[in-house]
Amino acid sequence: MMLACQRFVSVVRNSRTLSRHVTTWSPVGAAFNAQQRKVDLFQKNVGLFGVPALSTPAGFEVAQQRALRETEQLVEIACNNPPGALTVETFDQLSDSLCKVADLADFVKVGHPDPAFRDAAEKACINIGTVVERLNTNVELCRSLKNLLDNKEVLDSLDPDTRRVAELFMFDFEISGIHLDESKVRKAVSLNVNLLDLNNEFLNGTHLPNRIEKTALPEHIRHCFSIDGNSIQIGGLHADSPDELVREAAYKIFLFPNSSLLLCLDDLLTCRNELAKLVGYESFAHRALNGTMAKTPETVMKFLELLTDKLSDRTAKDFNLMRDMKMKMNSRSTVLMPWDHSYFSSAVRAERYKIDPSLYSPYFSLGACMEGLNMLFSQLLGVSFRNEQPMAGEVWSEEVRKLAVVHETEGLLGYIYCDFFRRPDKPHQDCHFTIQGGRLKKDGEYQHPVVVLMLSLPPPTRSTPTLLNPGMMENLFHEMGHAMHSMLGRTRYQHGFPLSLIIALHMLRTRCSTDFAEVPSILMEFFATDYRVVNQFARHYQTGQPLPKSMVSRLCESKRICGAADTQLQVFYAALDQVYHGKPQNRSTTDILKKIQEKFYGLPYVPNTAWQLRFSHLIGYGAKYYSYLMSRAIASMVWRQCFQKDPFNRDMGERYRREMLAHGGSKEPMLMVQGKELTLSLFFLATTFLPFFRVLALFFSY
């Protein structure tokens, strides 16, 4: 068995000869390049993630009731003890108790293949969310915190992290309307509870496929989609299909407006605006941006407008390159359409740098890529992966791998559950879920973080491991950046995030500021496209031969092509998010989309489509989607100043962890990006225009 873990043996047959190639893999590489070992059916069911109650769907009710009983006890402690550090510790324990159920349920309602588990998890999310909204308007609970913050002597005795967490909790009380009279407080609670339902309804709708009669599509492209009796089911954009008709059909059908979901989005935006106005803000965007680095919607929109202006010439050039490529490939039409962007930008890169993804994939087996990540983290941070066999009932699919993340001197840091392979009813998206946040427990032990990484890769077979194309490899590095941010945070508190924001915020990973949330993952993209890093792990799954340096160099250089158009697409998404959450427009969300697309993108709106109904980030990132661009700017600075010269520099790796990753959400992002150690004082969004141009410059420096 040990020998099998250390070697991946591939047998290649043809009609005349039999050749045998042996490639040596580490245990981690072997685990991901082979089919998962079956769980012993005679083992005791330990429950999902080792939570005994969750061996059945009914366990969610048990876990929920336990958390609610603990909540009552903690509220009593917070309200009946003198103000001090214990007050903040109790609030944090309260947050952790609720998060342990809400975060786990938030993943299960999306990722579990059993509908009974999904339904039970969704009910738990709603019930916990309702409790949270009531806590946010609990006057006695708020008073206990206010007594602390108003007592200068007590406040001065607190360490900076404790003080910041206390201020965050008070900020959350304030934006929840704690200052309102009793009738308005009840209204605020009602609106928040209604929002939980609307959020769930919209999120579920964004992933649902659309159906069309089979006869409505030409016979020669029907096989490209899922056929169910006399209808065809389309659950995605098929943006990388070489067949233009397939891309067009998928775009028009998948984005065809759903009237009930349009009403849901209208209600959601109206409800958010009403809540913001009730608690004293001009709009939901003003409420959401209070406390971020950007501060106001006006600041964000000015940034997006300036970025669009700065990108305009390069974006036009990129679109011209795509249009020329479309003409060269004898397209039915020479007009560049939204369904063409992804395909022809890839085609331009492939032609200019002679890149054929099928030639790269044999070098990017999943095991090789995981070995690459293991090697990189080991050299940079002294951290390695250890493959562990899950117990019966611990995972929701037998294909899920479990990794222990271990530091060379600190020992166990946490666990990553890798749900990487496609299966029926699994969302086709790459994402990261927090299951348990890290925090220092009352007994002095550290509560290890637990996360899930979800990808949608083809599973390995008996003879062939999962092979990734370059884009999949980069996505893997990106998502692992989120996971390692969770693993490397070492904070006293549950990452200092307020109570009302703990629900449905799994996308914020370590509960840090949204401006900063994507920095670690985007930084990993720089490592994934650096030939010095790729050379270390990209080797043929059969022969063990390394990917030729010329191929690595071409792949890395190709990333520069069409970058402006790709960035402009993100600007469009961010602008749409801002306008939807700004002051009411008295127009349909589709009419707003048409106008914003014309101003901030450049490719035409397609009649009878409603892309906004697939924009799931409206839920988790409401009014904050711009932060992706901010994070990219910060990540660019970190890369250039810390790792561009030497991507394996251990001193810089330790400094990066110490100054940025280790703080989770317990330190102001501004203090991290301004730290002298990283010389990031350049980045600051405030009230003058000069900082905008500094940020803009970062998009053209790499």
Side-chain angles (χ1 to χ4, degrees):
M1 181 61 69
M2 182 60 69
L3 184 62
C5 286
Q6 293 176 338
R7 293 185 180 277
F8 175 81
V9 180
S10 168
V11 180
V12 181
R13 290 183 171 90
N14 58 37
S15 58
R16 295 184 179 181
T17 63
L18 175 68
S19 60
R20 185 179 179 87
H21 302 289
V22 179
T23 300
T24 301
W25 302 102
S26 73
V28 169
F32 284 88
N33 264 2
Q35 292 181 314
Q36 178 82 313
R37 181 158 55 93
K38 303 291 185 183
V39 174
D40 185 352
L41 296 178
F42 294 101
Q43 283 183 347
K44 180 182 177 182
N45 188 322
V46 300
L48 286 172
F49 300 102
V51 179
L54 298 182
S55 58
T56 67
F60 272 104
E61 178 67 23
V62 176
Q64 175 187 310
Q65 291 303 320
R66 184 186 302 129
L68 296 183
R69 285 194 300 271
E70 187 173 346
T71 295
E72 291 177 3
Q73 296 169 0
L74 291 168
V75 168
E76 188 173 343
I77 292 172
C79 293
N80 293 298
N81 278 280
L86 177 62
T87 306
V88 182
E89 291 168 7
T90 305
F91 268 76
D92 190 66
Q93 198 175 343
L94 181 60
S95 172
D96 182 62
S97 179
L98 293 168
C99 278
K100 280 181 178 176
V101 179
D103 284 345
L104 196 155
D106 201 35
F107 163 71
V108 172
K109 73 178 186 181
V110 174
H112 203 289
D114 186 342
F117 266 100
R118 293 199 301 268
D119 291 344
E122 185 164 339
K123 289 176 184 175
C125 280
I126 292 172
N127 291 336
I128 293 290
T130 301
V131 171
V132 167
E133 297 308 336
R134 288 174 180 155
L135 289 175
N136 280 320
T137 52
N138 184 313
V139 175
E140 286 188 32
L141 195 59
C142 178
R143 187 179 296 120
S144 70
L145 192 63
K146 191 174 188 303
N147 289 340
L148 181 151
L149 293 171
D150 288 346
N151 189 322
K152 187 177 185 305
E153 183 179 348
V154 173
L155 200 60
D156 290 343
S157 70
L158 303 180
D159 62 83
D161 284 354
T162 302
R163 182 170 179 164
R164 169 167 162 74
V165 170
E167 290 169 347
L168 281 171
F169 279 121
M170 180 53 73
F171 173 73
D172 193 55
F173 275 121
E174 291 169 353
I175 66 171
S176 296
I178 196 69
H179 56 286
L180 301 175
D181 61 42
E182 188 175 342
S183 64
K184 289 183 178 179
V185 166
R186 286 198 300 269
K187 178 67 173 174
V189 171
S190 176
L191 287 169
N192 274 309
V193 171
N194 188 31
L195 274 173
L196 289 173
D197 291 333
L198 291 169
N199 289 345
N200 279 325
E201 182 182 347
F202 185 76
L203 268 180
N204 291 336
T206 61
H207 303 304
L208 289 177
N210 276 342
R211 291 176 176 272
I212 192 171
E213 287 294 320
K214 190 164 60 175
T215 55
L217 289 182
E219 187 174 355
H220 72 280
I221 68 168
R222 293 174 191 170
H223 70 280
C224 298
F225 307 109
S226 176
I227 299 177
D228 183 12
N230 291 322
S231 65
I232 287 178
Q233 182 173 281
I234 298 182
L237 293 174
H238 292 253
D240 296 326
S241 172
D243 190 317
E244 182 178 1
L245 192 56
V246 169
R247 297 196 307 275
E248 180 180 354
Y251 190 94
K252 290 180 175 179
I253 297 168
F254 185 61
L255 300 184
F256 189 79
N258 178 309
S259 57
S260 63
L261 204 56
L262 283 170
L263 288 173
C264 175
L265 179 57
D266 287 340
D267 290 344
L268 191 155
L269 296 176
T270 298
C271 193
R272 283 181 169 179
N273 182 69
E274 189 176 350
L275 176 63
K277 298 276 283 188
L278 181 67
V279 297
Y281 290 89
E282 291 181 52
S283 69
F284 184 83
H286 285 86
R287 179 180 185 262
L289 295 174
N290 188 4
T292 66
M293 287 193 285
K295 307 297 183 188
T296 69
E298 292 78 15
T299 302
V300 173
M301 287 304 293
K302 179 61 70 173
F303 168 71
L304 297 175
E305 288 166 357
L306 287 170
L307 184 52
T308 297
D309 182 61
K310 202 74 174 176
L311 285 169
S312 60
D313 289 344
R314 291 182 55 174
T315 300
K317 181 180 178 181
D318 287 351
F319 283 146
N320 284 335
L321 287 173
M322 295 179 207
R323 196 172 291 110
D324 291 345
M325 178 59 68
K326 187 172 184 178
M327 293 174 63
K328 187 182 296 186
M329 296 177 74
N330 299 315
S331 170
R332 296 180 297 114
S333 168
T334 58
V335 178
L336 195 67
M337 299 299 291
W339 57 76
D340 292 327
H341 183 145
S342 177
Y343 179 75
F344 286 112
S345 61
S346 297
V348 170
R349 295 184 187 105
E351 181 187 66
R352 181 164 295 191
Y353 290 98
K354 297 180 174 60
I355 293 174
D356 180 351
S358 66
L359 298 179
Y360 283 84
S361 292
Y363 296 91
F364 290 145
S365 69
L366 180 57
C369 294
M370 292 302 294
E371 282 198 357
L373 286 161
N374 200 20
M375 170 274 303
L376 177 63
F377 293 137
S378 178
Q379 294 188 46
L380 206 58
L381 298 160
V383 171
S384 61
F385 298 144
R386 184 178 69 214
N387 185 60
E388 293 195 358
Q389 179 68 19
M391 302 290 285
E394 185 179 355
V395 295
W396 49 100
S397 168
E398 63 182 17
E399 296 300 329
V400 174
R401 270 64 164 177
K402 179 184 179 183
L403 292 178
V405 181
V406 183
H407 190 272
E408 59 190 21
T409 59
E410 299 170 30
L412 180 67
L413 296 181
Y415 293 99
I416 303 173
Y417 289 84
C418 301
D419 187 359
F420 285 172
F421 306 115
R422 298 172 189 151
R423 62 175 177 271
D425 297 326
K426 179 183 175 183
H428 293 284
Q429 56 185 10
D430 298 342
C431 51
H432 165 281
F433 294 85
T434 296
I435 303 301
Q436 175 174 280
R439 66 186 289 268
L440 188 64
K441 295 191 292 186
K442 200 171 183 178
D443 60 7
E445 290 189 13
Y446 197 80
Q447 177 174 288
H448 297 302
V450 177
V451 304
V452 172
L453 285 191
M454 182 183 285
L455 304 179
S456 188
L457 304 175
T461 66
R462 288 183 178 275
S463 60
T464 308
T466 294
L467 303 179
L468 281 63
N469 62 38
M472 292 175 180
M473 181 270 288
E474 192 173 326
N475 284 344
L476 172 62
F477 271 64
H478 177 102
E479 296 302 331
M480 192 59 74
H482 286 307
M484 293 305 291
H485 191 189
S486 296
M487 296 297 109
L488 293 168
R490 276 298 177 268
T491 57
R492 179 177 176 184
Y493 298 105
Q494 152 103 327
H495 301 301
F497 224 82
L499 280 173
S500 73
L501 301 179
I502 68 171
I503 307 300
L505 283 185
H506 59 265
M507 286 179 286
L508 299 189
R509 286 88 189 182
T510 52
R511 309 196 198 289
C512 63
S513 167
T514 323
D515 293 313
F516 185 71
E518 293 286 337
V519 171
S521 55
I522 293 173
L523 182 64
M524 286 301 297
E525 295 177 20
F526 287 91
F527 286 99
T529 54
D530 186 285
Y531 76 90
R532 294 164 294 183
V533 175
V534 177
N535 262 342
Q536 294 289 315
F537 70 87
R539 48 197 172 115
H540 201 284
Y541 78 97
Q542 291 175 312
T543 67
Q545 292 298 309
L547 182 64
K549 186 175 180 179
S550 61
M551 290 180 68
V552 180
S553 298
R554 292 202 308 271
L555 180 64
C556 297
E557 289 170 8
S558 73
K559 297 296 179 182
R560 303 172 186 270
I561 301 298
C562 297
D566 293 343
T567 300
Q568 190 61 55
L569 183 59
Q570 296 298 321
V571 173
F572 160 49
Y573 296 161
L576 186 66
D577 177 43
Q578 282 299 305
V579 175
Y580 277 169
H581 290 102
K583 296 176 183 178
Q585 299 284 305
N586 297 317
R587 291 179 295 160
S588 72
T589 55
T590 302
D591 286 340
I592 292 172
L593 180 138
K594 290 179 190 176
K595 183 177 179 180
I596 298 300
Q597 183 165 337
E598 179 182 347
K599 180 178 180 180
F600 286 99
Y601 187 22
L603 297 186
Y605 166 78
V606 179
N608 295 315
T609 63
W611 177 83
Q612 72 273 23
L613 300 183
R614 303 296 181 179
F615 193 11
S616 60
H617 287 309
L618 287 173
I619 301 304
Y621 278 87
K624 295 182 181 179
Y625 191 81
Y626 76 93
S627 61
Y628 174 84
L629 296 165
M630 293 293 95
S631 289
R632 184 161 290 280
I634 299 172
S636 174
M637 284 189 290
V638 174
W639 172 258
R640 288 188 299 111
Q641 297 186 31
C642 300
F643 301 114
Q644 190 172 51
K645 186 176 180 180
D646 177 9
F648 304 108
N649 188 311
R650 180 65 179 269
D651 289 339
M652 283 296 181
E654 294 289 353
R655 188 175 295 175
Y656 171 58
R657 180 189 179 188
R658 183 174 63 249
E659 294 296 322
M660 302 186 88
L661 297 182
H663 298 291
S666 66
K667 186 175 180 181
E668 285 280 5
M670 278 304 306
L671 297 179
M672 290 189 281
V673 300
Q674 286 185 316
K676 291 182 180 179
E677 295 289 350
L678 289 176
T679 63
L680 296 180
S681 58
L682 177 65
F683 181 81
F684 180 64
L685 274 175
T687 57
T688 62
F689 292 153
L690 179 59
F692 286 113
F693 289 102
R694 289 175 173 172
V695 174
L696 293 172
L698 297 172
F699 287 96
F700 308 103
S701 61
Y702 175 62

